[in-house]
Amino acid sequence: MNVTPAVLLLCLLGAPPASSSDPLCAKREPCRVVETLDAGKDARGQALQVKHLNLGWVGIDTAGQSLGRKFGPGGRKATGSRAEGECEASEWWLVAPPRPAQLLLSVCNDGYGAAGVGEDTVTVSDNQFTHERTGGSREKWSTTRTLRLSPLQLMNESQRTSSASASGEVKEDGDFWDFDGLRGEVIRAAPDCESGESSPGERTLPYLPQVQVERGFLQEGWKQAGLGTCALESGHFLLGNQDDPKDAALKALLVASDTLLVEVRDDKWTGPSAKWLNDDHLELWLAPHAPEDLTGCGKPAKEQLPVQWGIRLVDGKVFPAFGSPKQPLGVERAELPGKKGYQVKVKLPMPFKGISVVYSDSDSGKKQELMLATSLVKFGRPETLNSVRVVHPQEATCAVKQGELAVVPGPARKVEPDVAVLRVD
C-alpha cells in the first residue's frame, strides 16, 4: 500500500514544479510527476499505475471552472499564495497501456476553510484508489471515497463533521455507505437538550436499503428465493440473547418505495393463540420523518410519532398496535423449504421516512423471549428507526444467484479520458 498525503508531498518538494518529460505533462508547464504508484493488476493481468501530477498555482475562480477536468495550459504559474486568492493544482491519472490514461481526480487546494489547513490525501492499493479531503475551521469536516480501478466503480463513501462544545467535548455527525455490500449507517451526535432530560447519546442508525430487483422476483420469485446478501440482517437484540445463531434470524429489504420483503428463520414456531404478543410475530414500525433529522430531545411531537403493526407469522394476520394505525397493510407469506422460515411481502402505506422491523420469538408461547431488530428500536421513539437508503440502479441492483438475492454492481463509469472519475465540489 502506498500513502500519498498531497499537501505534505508538496511541502517536501520545496521547489515549484518544473517541466516534466512525461506525456501527461506535455505542453502543460508548469507540470511535474510527483510520483508513480503501483495499483496492482486488472482482471486481465494488466499492470495498473497511478501518476500524481503537481501543476503549480492557479486563481481560485479559474480553478473552479476547471475542477472535474484536466487543468488547461492557461492561468497556472510555478509559484503562488493562498493569501492572493490562489490554490495548488494537482491531478491523479490511471495509466494502463495500451488504453489512454484516465483522469481520476483533479483538485485545487485553497486550504479548504478559514483555518487553511485542509488536505487531500490519496491512498493507492491493489485495484483501489481512495481520496480523503479534510478541511474546516471550528467545525472540521472530511469526505472519503474509494474507487475500484478496474472496472471503474465507486466502492464506498463517507462524510464526517465534528465540532467541540464549550466543555471541550467533541461531537460528530456523518454517514457511510458501502456500494458493494449495500450497507451503511448514519451517525448523529448527542444534542444539547434544553429540556433538562438526559441526552440520548450518540445514535448510529443503520440504513435499510431500497434496491431494484428483477420484475419476476418482485411478482412471484420472492416466494422461492432467499434475500441473501442484499438484505439488511438484524444486528440488534431488544430482548434476550442468542446462544445458538440457528435459533432465529431476520433479514429485511425494501424492493420498492412501498414494498418490503422480510425473511424470518426459526427452529420452532408458536401460534396462533388468543394473544398475538405471545406468538412468533413481526413488528413493523413506520415514521413520517427521517430519524436522522430528529434530535431525540423530550417527547416526540404528535406529528413525529411512529405507528406500529404486529404480523403473526404462522397465519399472516395483521394487528394494529402503537398509534392505532388505520392504514391497511397488505401481507403475503411463503414458507421457506423445509419449514425453516417464512418470506413475507408487505405492501406499505405511504409516505414514510423511518422504518424498522422486529422479530419477536416465543418458543414457549407464553411470553416474548427474544427480539431481533434492524435497529435499536425504542418503543414509540421515531429517532431510533432505520433510515432508508435508496440505491440507484447505476450504483447496484439485486438478482437471484444460486437461490438467493445477490448484489449486482452497477455498470463501470464511462467518462472521457480528460474528465475526472471522482468529482469534487
Side-chain angles (χ1 to χ4, degrees):
M1 180 179 291
N2 299 292
V3 180
T4 309
V7 173
L8 178 59
L9 282 171
L10 294 177
C11 292
L12 291 174
L13 288 170
S19 178
S20 171
S21 60
D22 191 283
L24 291 173
C25 282
K27 299 180 180 180
R28 302 186 68 200
E29 296 82 359
C31 177
R32 178 177 178 175
V33 177
V34 175
E35 60 182 345
T36 300
L37 305 171
D38 179 14
K41 296 181 179 180
D42 63 15
R44 300 177 299 173
Q46 174 70 46
L48 303 174
Q49 292 181 329
V50 172
K51 291 190 176 183
H52 173 198
L53 273 57
N54 178 358
L55 294 140
W57 291 79
V58 63
I60 293 175
D61 292 340
T62 303
Q65 299 170 9
S66 301
L67 283 182
R69 303 188 65 89
K70 173 182 176 181
F71 284 100
R76 291 183 290 107
K77 57 185 182 179
T79 59
S81 169
R82 292 174 185 169
E84 297 177 3
E86 296 170 330
C87 55
E88 298 170 276
S90 298
E91 294 173 350
W92 284 262
W93 291 78
L94 173 63
V95 180
R99 290 170 289 177
Q102 173 65 58
L103 180 61
L104 298 175
L105 175 71
S106 64
V107 302
C108 206
N109 187 346
D110 64 353
Y112 304 142
V117 295
E119 295 182 353
D120 292 288
T121 302
V122 164
T123 303
V124 176
S125 58
D126 188 12
N127 200 27
Q128 294 184 17
F129 177 92
T130 299
H131 172 230
E132 179 185 16
R133 170 173 287 188
T134 60
S137 51
R138 292 187 62 184
E139 182 179 83
K140 307 295 184 181
W141 55 262
S142 68
T143 61
T144 304
R145 291 179 293 174
T146 297
L147 181 72
R148 182 180 291 109
L149 295 176
S150 179
L152 286 168
Q153 292 169 326
L154 194 59
M155 298 176 65
N156 57 66
E157 64 181 9
S158 65
Q159 296 85 35
R160 291 287 187 272
T161 60
S162 62
S163 58
S165 64
S167 62
E169 179 186 3
V170 176
K171 297 186 176 183
E172 183 174 86
D173 291 309
D175 59 37
F176 169 80
W177 183 251
D178 175 3
F179 293 91
D180 284 346
L182 301 187
R183 299 291 180 270
E185 61 188 18
V186 181
I187 297 174
R188 288 295 179 263
D192 295 322
C193 297
E194 297 179 355
S195 63
E197 295 188 8
S198 60
S199 168
E202 182 179 275
R203 291 180 292 140
T204 300
L205 308 171
Y207 279 118
L208 183 62
Q210 177 187 319
V211 62
Q212 181 176 297
V213 296
E214 299 163 317
R215 184 182 298 273
F217 180 85
L218 187 57
Q219 293 174 343
E220 292 292 328
W222 64 273
K223 297 178 181 179
Q224 289 86 37
L227 298 186
T229 57
C230 281
L232 174 65
E233 188 167 5
S234 62
H236 304 283
F237 291 92
L238 307 185
L239 177 66
N241 53 56
Q242 197 168 21
D243 296 327
D244 183 1
K246 296 181 180 179
D247 178 29
L250 169 71
K251 292 182 178 181
L253 177 68
L254 287 163
V255 291
S257 59
D258 63 349
T259 306
L260 173 72
L261 294 180
V262 182
E263 178 182 309
V264 187
R265 295 179 181 269
D266 205 342
D267 58 355
K268 181 180 179 180
W269 299 100
T270 59
S273 70
K275 191 173 183 180
W276 67 269
L277 274 175
N278 293 339
D279 300 329
D280 289 339
H281 66 272
L282 294 174
E283 296 180 8
L284 172 65
W285 290 91
L286 295 180
H289 297 278
E292 65 268 27
D293 295 338
L294 304 176
T295 66
C297 292
K299 295 181 178 180
K302 183 178 181 180
E303 63 273 13
Q304 297 174 341
L305 286 172
V307 290
Q308 178 198 33
W309 293 264
I311 304 172
R312 188 159 55 198
L313 282 161
V314 293
D315 60 6
K317 189 172 181 180
V318 178
F319 301 89
F322 182 85
S324 302
K326 300 296 190 295
Q327 305 98 319
L329 202 65
V331 174
E332 298 179 68
R333 291 180 315 126
E335 198 169 278
L336 293 169
K339 296 185 178 181
K340 294 181 179 179
Y342 294 94
Q343 295 283 64
V344 183
K345 182 180 179 181
V346 184
K347 198 71 171 179
L348 302 170
M350 296 290 288
F352 66 90
K353 293 186 178 180
I355 179 173
S356 282
V357 184
V358 181
Y359 172 51
S360 175
D361 183 18
S362 175
D363 288 344
S364 67
K366 296 180 180 180
K367 62 179 182 178
Q368 293 177 284
E369 295 161 355
L370 176 69
M371 296 181 73
L372 302 174
T374 56
S375 73
L376 282 172
V377 182
K378 292 185 178 179
F379 193 82
R381 302 295 310 201
E383 75 278 4
T384 63
L385 305 188
N386 294 91
S387 298
V388 175
R389 178 57 154 82
V390 179
V391 180
H392 193 278
Q394 293 296 314
E395 298 172 358
T397 57
C398 286
V400 177
K401 294 183 179 179
Q402 298 181 339
E404 291 194 331
L405 281 182
V407 179
V408 180
R413 296 194 171 195
K414 293 183 179 180
V415 295
E416 296 296 322
D418 291 351
V419 176
V421 180
L422 293 180
R423 303 293 298 269
V424 295
D425 297 329

